[in-house]
C-alpha cells in the first residue's frame, strides 16, 4: 500500500518516512519553515551517506539542495541551518514516541525464532555529559543475532539501571525470548517479571549476589576434600567447549552446568547453574589470561544444551561490538555534543534505526561500506527510507 506525504510524495505505507509523518509536532503551523518529517528524513539520509554531526548534516543537505528539493518536493530551496536540527531534536521530537515508533518499525520487519536472545545493557552518551557528569544514560534491549534494538529507555542518572530494567522489559514482548544482562541486572523481581511474561533468563552471579556466587562456586570447586572413606555424591555435570582463533589470540571457553542446586538455592524459577572458564593466549606476547565466572538460568536441561547455552552467553557479549562500537565509532555518537533537551536520546534512536535497516538488508559487508555506497547514491538512501 502507498500513502502520500504532506509534500505530495508517494511513499509506501509503513515505510520509515510514513511513520515519521505520524509523529506529533508540538510547534504551531504558523511560521514553521521545516516540517518534522522533513528534518528527520534529512538527518537519516545524511547519516546513511556518512555524516555524523549536526554541522556535517547541514552542509551535506546544503550541497545537495537541488537533488533534495526534487526528491522531497520541497517548496524552499534553502536547507536548514545546523542549529535547526539541534533545536528540533532537542525540543520538538517526543523521545518516548519516536522510541516506540522505532520499536514497531524494526520488529515489524523481522521474524524472531524461539529462544531469541535479548541482551540488556546500559550506555552513557558521552556527548551529553556536562561539567557535573550529568547527561543521558540509556538502557537498551538488543537482539545480537539480528543487530537491532527492540527498545531503549532513559535511565535516571548513573546507577539507575536496576529500576529502568523493569520499565524496559515491560515494553518488550518476552514470549519465547531469553533475556541476559550483566551482573547488575541479576535481580529477583526482574527474574520473576521475565518468566511470568513468557520468557527465560540467564544471569551472572557476582558481587551484588555474592552469596549466590559463593554457593555456586563451592558446588563446582569444593574447598575441602571429602572425609576419608567417603566420597561426594555423584554430580550431574555436563560440559561444552569452544575454541576460537582470531585477532591475534587463541581463546578457549569451557562451560559446565548442573541442575542439582535447584532446591537448595533460593532464586525464583532457577533450573540450572553454570561455571564458565575463559582462557585467552596472545600469539604476540604469549601472555595467558584466565577468568572464571558463575551464573544460573531458568532454562531447563531439556530446553537447552550446554553447547547452546555457551553460544547464547557468547552472543550476549556481542552487544559491545554489534551495538555500542558501531554507534560510538562508526556513527560517532559519543563525539556529537548534544547537551540540550532530549537530543541525545533522539539521536541514539535514529542511530538504532540506521543500524537496524542497514543490517536487515544483508547485502552490505559492513556498515561503513553501506554508507560509502549511499554517499555515492543519495537517491538510494531516500528509497530506503520511503520504501518498505
Amino acid at each position: 500500500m502507498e500513502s502520500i506525504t504532506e509534500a505530495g510524495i508517494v511513499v509506501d505505507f509503513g515505510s520509515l518516512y510514513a511513520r515519521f509523518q505520524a509523529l506529533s509536532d508540538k510547534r504551531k503551523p504558523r511560521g514553521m519553515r521545516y516540517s518534522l518529517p522533513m528534518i528527520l528524513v534529512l538527518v537519516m539520509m545524511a547519516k546513511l551517506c556518512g555524516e555524523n554531526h549536526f554541522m556535517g548534516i547541514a552542509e551535506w543537505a546544503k550541497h545537495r539542495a537541488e537533488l533534495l528539493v526534487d526528491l522531497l518536493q520541497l517548496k524552499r530551496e534553502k536547507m536548514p541551518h545546523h542549529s535547526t536540527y539541534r533545536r528540533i531534536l532537542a525540543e520538538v521530537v517526543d523521545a518516548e514516541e519516536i522510541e516506540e515508533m522505532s520499536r514497531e518499525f524494526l520488529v515489524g520487519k523481522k521474524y524472531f525464532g524461539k529462544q531469541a536472545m535479548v541482551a540488556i545493557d546500559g550506555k552513557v552518551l558521552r556527548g551529553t555529559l556536562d561539567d557535573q557528569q550529568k547527561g543521558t544514560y540509556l538502557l537498551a534491549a538488543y537482539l545480537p543475532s539480528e543487530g537491532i534494538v527492540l527498545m531503549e529507555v532513559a535511565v535516571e542518572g548513573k546507577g539507575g539501571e536496576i529500576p529502568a530494567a523493569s520499565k524496559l522489559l515491560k515494553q518488550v514482548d518476552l514470549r519465547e525470548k531469553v533475556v541476559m544482562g550483566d551482573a547488575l541486572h541479576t535481580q529477583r523481581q526482574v527474574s520473576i517479571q521475565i518468566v511470568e511474561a513468557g520468557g527465560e533468563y540467564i544471569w551472572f552471579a557476582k558481587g551484588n549476589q555474592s552469596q549466590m556466587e559463593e554457593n555456586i562456586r563451592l558446588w563446582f570447586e569444593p574447598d575441602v576434600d571429602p572425609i576419608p572413606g567417603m566420597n561426594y555424591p555423584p554430580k550431574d555435570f555436563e560440559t561444552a567447549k569452544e575454541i576460537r582463533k582470531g585477532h591475534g589470540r587463541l581463546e578457549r571457553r569451557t562451560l559446565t552446568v548442573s541442575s542439582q542446586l535447584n532446591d537448595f538455592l533460593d532464586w525464583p524459577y532457577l533450573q540450572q547453574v553454570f561455571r564458565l572458564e575463559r582462557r585467552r593466549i596472545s600469539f604476540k606476547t604469549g601472555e595467558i589470561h584466565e577468568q572464571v565466572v558463575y551464573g544460573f538460568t531458568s532454562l531447563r536441561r531439556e530446553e537447552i544444551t550446554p553447547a547452546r547455552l555457551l553460544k547464547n552467553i557468547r552472543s550476549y557479549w556481542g552487544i559491545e561490538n554489534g551495538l555500542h562500537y558501531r554507534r560510538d565509532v562508526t556513527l560517532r555518537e559519543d563525539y556529537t555534543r548534544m547537551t540540550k533537551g532530549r537530543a541525545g536520546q533522539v539521536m541514539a534512536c535514529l542511530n538504532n534505526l540506521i543500524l537496524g535497516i542497514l543490517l536487515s538488508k544483508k547485502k552490505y559487508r559492513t556498515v561503513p561500506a553501506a554508507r560509502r555506497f549511499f554517499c555515492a547514491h543519495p537517491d538510494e538512501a531516500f528509497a530506503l527510507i520511503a520504501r518498505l
Side-chain angles (χ1 to χ4, degrees):
M1 295 178 62
E2 295 179 331
S3 63
I4 301 177
T5 71
E6 59 188 18
I9 308 170
V10 177
V11 299
D12 287 340
F13 183 80
S15 67
L16 200 51
Y17 197 149
R19 290 179 183 270
F20 285 157
Q21 291 283 131
L23 294 175
S24 57
D25 187 340
K26 58 186 178 183
R27 294 175 297 170
K28 295 181 180 180
R30 185 176 180 180
M32 185 190 301
R33 293 185 177 183
Y34 305 106
S35 70
L36 179 57
M38 173 197 166
I39 291 294
L40 293 176
V41 168
L42 289 177
V43 171
M44 290 289 290
M45 287 183 65
K47 291 186 74 67
L48 282 169
C49 294
E51 297 297 333
N52 297 307
H53 310 297
F54 289 115
M55 185 73 76
I57 291 169
E59 291 185 0
W60 178 91
K62 176 182 176 181
H63 295 318
R64 292 160 181 80
E66 185 176 348
L67 171 66
L68 294 172
V69 167
D70 181 55
L71 284 176
L72 300 173
Q73 298 295 297
L74 302 178
K75 297 179 181 179
R76 296 171 55 89
E77 293 186 5
K78 186 177 181 180
M79 293 293 107
H81 190 264
H82 68 84
S83 61
T84 301
Y85 295 102
R86 288 182 180 274
R87 178 175 53 81
I88 290 179
L89 264 61
E91 302 174 5
V92 177
V93 180
D94 185 305
E96 283 74 22
E97 185 182 27
I98 198 169
E99 289 281 7
E100 179 62 22
M101 181 279 295
S102 174
R103 184 193 67 79
E104 292 178 354
F105 176 77
L106 292 174
V107 171
K109 303 296 180 187
K110 310 294 288 183
Y111 170 76
F112 312 118
K114 295 182 67 174
Q115 291 190 3
M117 166 65 70
V118 177
I120 59 174
D121 197 24
K123 181 183 186 296
V124 57
L125 304 183
R126 300 192 182 279
T128 68
L129 295 175
D130 58 20
D131 294 338
Q132 287 75 42
Q133 295 299 295
K134 293 181 179 179
T136 300
Y137 294 80
L138 301 174
L139 182 66
Y142 176 70
L143 289 170
S145 62
E146 306 287 346
I148 71 169
V149 173
L150 288 175
M151 193 66 190
E152 195 166 49
V153 298
V155 175
E156 293 297 330
K158 190 174 182 180
E161 286 191 31
I162 294 175
S166 178
K167 175 184 175 182
L168 174 72
L169 294 173
K170 285 179 181 178
Q171 301 179 65
V172 176
D173 183 358
L174 295 178
R175 290 173 295 181
E176 299 184 340
K177 305 291 194 306
V178 180
V179 178
M180 187 171 180
D182 60 26
L184 179 66
H185 301 113
T186 305
Q187 303 292 331
R188 298 177 64 89
Q189 286 304 122
V190 174
S191 302
I192 294 171
Q193 177 184 348
I194 291 168
V195 176
E196 293 187 352
E200 307 288 351
Y201 62 76
I202 301 173
W203 299 134
F204 291 114
K206 291 186 179 180
N208 66 324
Q209 299 293 342
S210 56
Q211 188 59 58
M212 191 76 165
E213 178 186 26
E214 180 66 4
N215 290 337
I216 298 173
R217 185 191 70 79
L218 289 174
W219 181 245
F220 288 105
E221 304 165 14
D223 284 341
V224 296
D225 295 326
I227 298 173
M230 302 181 64
N231 291 317
Y232 287 117
K235 297 182 178 181
D236 65 339
F237 292 170
E238 281 191 56
T239 299
K241 294 184 179 181
E242 179 183 74
I243 298 177
R244 289 178 176 264
K245 182 179 179 181
H247 304 288
R249 65 193 183 195
L250 179 69
E251 189 170 14
R252 184 184 69 192
R253 299 169 188 264
T254 305
L255 182 80
T256 304
V257 301
S258 173
S259 300
Q260 291 178 307
L261 293 185
N262 297 350
D263 295 330
F264 173 74
L265 297 176
D266 180 23
W267 195 274
Y269 300 107
L270 182 147
Q271 292 294 328
Q272 292 187 83
V273 297
F274 61 82
R275 175 187 187 272
L276 175 62
E277 179 183 2
R278 294 179 284 187
R279 189 172 191 267
R280 185 169 65 243
I281 304 175
S282 170
F283 293 139
K284 184 177 182 179
T285 65
E287 182 181 359
I288 298 176
H289 177 75
E290 295 182 322
Q291 181 185 29
V292 175
V293 295
Y294 304 93
F296 54 97
T297 177
S298 62
L299 288 160
R300 299 189 303 274
R301 188 78 63 92
E302 300 79 24
E303 294 177 306
I304 191 167
T305 64
R308 178 66 181 175
L309 181 58
L310 179 58
K311 182 178 179 181
N312 278 4
I313 294 172
R314 181 176 177 83
S315 72
Y316 165 74
W317 288 314
I319 193 170
E320 290 296 331
N321 293 331
L323 181 64
H324 295 168
Y325 181 87
R326 283 171 172 150
R327 277 169 47 176
D328 290 344
V329 178
T330 304
L331 301 178
R332 308 292 286 178
E333 185 173 89
D334 279 353
Y335 298 87
T336 304
R337 293 295 293 166
M338 297 172 288
T339 56
K340 293 184 178 180
R342 306 290 287 276
Q345 184 177 356
V346 173
M347 184 62 86
C349 181
L350 296 179
N351 286 337
N352 290 336
L353 279 169
I354 292 287
L355 295 175
I357 60 179
L358 288 181
L359 296 172
S360 68
K361 294 299 179 182
K362 306 292 185 184
K363 61 184 291 187
Y364 307 108
R365 183 173 55 87
T366 62
V367 173
R371 299 179 87 194
R372 288 190 290 269
F373 169 80
F374 288 117
C375 182
H377 305 90
D379 55 324
E380 293 289 338
F382 176 74
L384 193 63
I385 297 169
R387 302 287 179 262
L388 288 174

